Amino acid sequence: MAAALPRPHRFDVYVACGGLLGGLVLMALGLALRPADEPLVLLPGAWAVLPPLVVMSGCELLRRSAPRTALLTGTAALALDTVTQGSVATVLMFTDLVYAAVLYGPPASARRIPRITGLLTVAGTVVPYAVWRVPEALLIGVVIGAVAFGPAATGLIVRDHRDAAIAARLHAEQTTLLAEMDRREAVVAERARMARELHDMVANHLSAIAIHSTAALSIDDPRTSHEALGVIRENSVDGLAEMRRLIGILRDGGGDREPAAAPTLDGLDALVDGARANGLDVTLDIDIDIDTGTGTGTGRIPAPVELAAYRIVQESLTNALKHARPGPVTVALALTRHDGPRVLDVEISSPCGREDGPRAPGSGAGLVGMRERATLLGGTFTAGPHGGRWTVHASLPLAEAEPGHGKDPEGDRP
């Protein structure tokens, strides 16, 4: 089954109808390009120009959908028109076919047609002048250039501008897409940062509140209930203070670094005292000079490492409060130097499991947050049972947290 002809564009229909009507008007008025007695006019008479005119107008219907076919057919129609008296409308429509073939045709045609028409123009200028040796012979090249090379060159220029505009638009769309992807990644990273910070700051206090409120409800002892309510109030106040601090950071727009009010290793004593007030038997062992940052290693401890270590200890104590059996909990921090960089080792050990008594549910987000903090600093993190105790161990390299290395644990900025 033969393939259907492509449907012509509406503008092409207008061009074809306009060219045909214009040619018919010129034919009716008796206006032609050449007189009937000219030697090259083999088909004299007004009606002889009609077949080339009709064919050329039909080619205009295909100027956009099938430009190469239209140009080849139009060239044959123009050759037929040259042996008649000729019509201006036929010549003008042929120039439009040349222009459309370059503009809408395949890239190969866009390159070849200007070259071919250029060579024809040069040949049409040089050969007649060399044969006849009269200046009027140069007009043949001028006509060929005006009818063929001029429209082809114009179509090539317009096509280049169109292709450049399309490339610029595609580049702009790709840039917009990449910017949107970067924005979404930044939003996701910021949400993860906020979730981690919110969990670490509030989970400890809420866990203590949940456990002591459960104890107050389950034990019918006014003194015990009074003590539990005191602990609940203290943790509520501390939790609100931490929440206000986080909200203040968000309202300030944030910066590249954690504000100066961020927790440091100096606050571990207060953190441990709070855990003891909540009922944990905590022992704190710090083999570091907090003021100078010296211990087994040498040099100051970067602020990101201090913050990560503080949050890991805080979350580990919260997990011990929620899940551990009664028993001693040890917190040990030490600066060590392995093969290369100095490392802050943080280890928290607590009894495994809780058989009875009030407890708070857990979601596992704390372990994920601690692992993320260690990973962002280029360190390692492990947590699990060992010798009947639950041990959390994090190694935080100090070099990765120096300016120009890695990322800080509270953000995504290098």
Side-chain angles (χ1 to χ4, degrees):
M1 183 176 179
L5 291 175
R7 184 181 183 133
H9 193 273
R10 180 180 297 180
F11 178 78
D12 299 342
V13 175
Y14 295 155
V15 172
C17 293
L20 180 60
L21 291 177
L24 293 176
V25 170
L26 293 176
M27 187 178 66
L29 295 176
L31 299 177
L33 293 176
R34 293 173 291 276
D37 56 352
E38 185 173 318
L40 294 178
V41 178
L42 303 179
L43 299 174
W47 292 101
V49 302
L50 184 58
L53 177 65
V54 174
V55 173
M56 195 71 73
S57 62
C59 292
E60 285 284 23
L61 296 174
L62 305 177
R63 64 189 293 275
R64 195 187 306 257
S65 56
R68 290 191 296 184
T69 302
L71 179 59
L72 293 175
T73 308
T75 302
L78 182 65
L80 179 61
D81 185 72
T82 57
V83 299
T84 67
Q85 289 183 262
S87 173
V88 175
T90 302
V91 176
L92 290 179
M93 285 190 287
F94 178 78
T95 62
D96 181 66
L97 292 179
V98 176
Y99 169 82
V102 176
L103 180 60
Y104 302 118
S109 298
R111 293 190 300 268
R112 292 171 184 170
I113 293 175
R115 297 172 184 172
I116 294 173
T117 55
L119 292 176
L120 290 176
T121 301
V122 173
T125 303
V126 174
V127 173
Y129 183 77
V131 173
W132 294 322
R133 296 291 182 176
V134 292
E136 290 80 1
L138 298 175
L139 295 177
I140 297 177
V142 174
V143 172
I144 296 176
V147 174
F149 179 70
T154 304
L156 182 61
I157 293 173
V158 175
R159 184 183 181 115
D160 288 341
H161 283 287
R162 184 193 64 183
D163 293 345
I166 293 175
R169 184 174 69 251
L170 292 177
H171 182 267
E173 292 175 354
Q174 292 176 353
T175 302
T176 303
L177 179 61
L178 291 175
E180 179 64 17
M181 293 175 61
D182 290 341
R183 186 192 68 82
R184 291 182 181 181
E185 290 179 0
V187 170
V188 171
E190 186 64 18
R191 289 178 63 180
R193 170 185 175 180
M194 292 168 58
R196 189 167 57 243
E197 184 71 10
L198 181 62
H199 179 276
D200 290 346
M201 288 195 305
V202 179
N204 181 46
H205 302 295
L206 293 182
S207 299
I209 292 173
I211 291 175
H212 285 83
S213 61
T214 302
L217 292 173
S218 60
I219 300 176
D220 189 12
D221 183 359
R223 180 178 179 182
T224 302
S225 299
H226 185 271
E227 293 177 354
L229 291 174
V231 175
I232 291 172
R233 182 186 182 281
E234 180 180 352
N235 281 277
S236 300
V237 172
D238 293 342
L240 287 173
E242 294 283 356
M243 184 68 71
R244 291 192 187 98
R245 173 180 170 273
L246 177 60
I247 294 174
I249 293 175
L250 296 177
R251 285 181 174 174
D252 290 342
D256 292 346
R257 298 292 176 187
E258 188 72 17
T264 63
L265 296 183
D266 293 328
L268 287 180
D269 289 331
L271 183 64
V272 169
D273 290 341
R276 289 167 180 163
N278 290 329
L280 290 179
D281 181 12
V282 186
T283 301
L284 179 62
D285 181 15
I286 302 180
D287 186 16
I288 305 171
D289 187 340
I290 302 292
D291 295 330
T292 62
T294 57
T296 308
T298 58
R300 291 285 303 172
I301 300 176
V305 175
E306 285 198 80
L307 177 60
Y310 181 93
R311 292 302 188 196
I312 290 173
V313 172
Q314 183 184 46
E315 179 59 27
S316 298
L317 293 178
T318 300
N319 290 340
L321 179 65
K322 292 192 295 184
H323 307 297
R325 293 173 178 266
V329 178
T330 60
V331 178
L333 287 85
L335 275 177
T336 61
R337 180 184 293 274
H338 298 297
D339 295 337
R342 290 170 292 120
V343 175
L344 176 62
D345 285 323
V346 182
E347 184 173 296
I348 304 93
S349 177
S350 60
C352 273
R354 179 193 291 269
E355 293 182 351
D356 52 11
R359 60 183 301 171
S363 62
L367 293 177
V368 174
M370 288 189 287
R371 181 173 288 105
E372 288 178 350
R373 291 183 184 277
T375 302
L376 288 173
L377 289 173
T380 60
F381 175 84
T382 58
H386 181 70
R389 296 177 64 82
W390 183 271
T391 302
V392 174
H393 182 268
S395 296
L396 309 176
L398 272 61
E400 291 293 332
E402 298 289 351
H405 295 81
K407 297 182 178 180
D408 69 42
E410 291 303 293
D412 0 31
R413 307 237 180 197

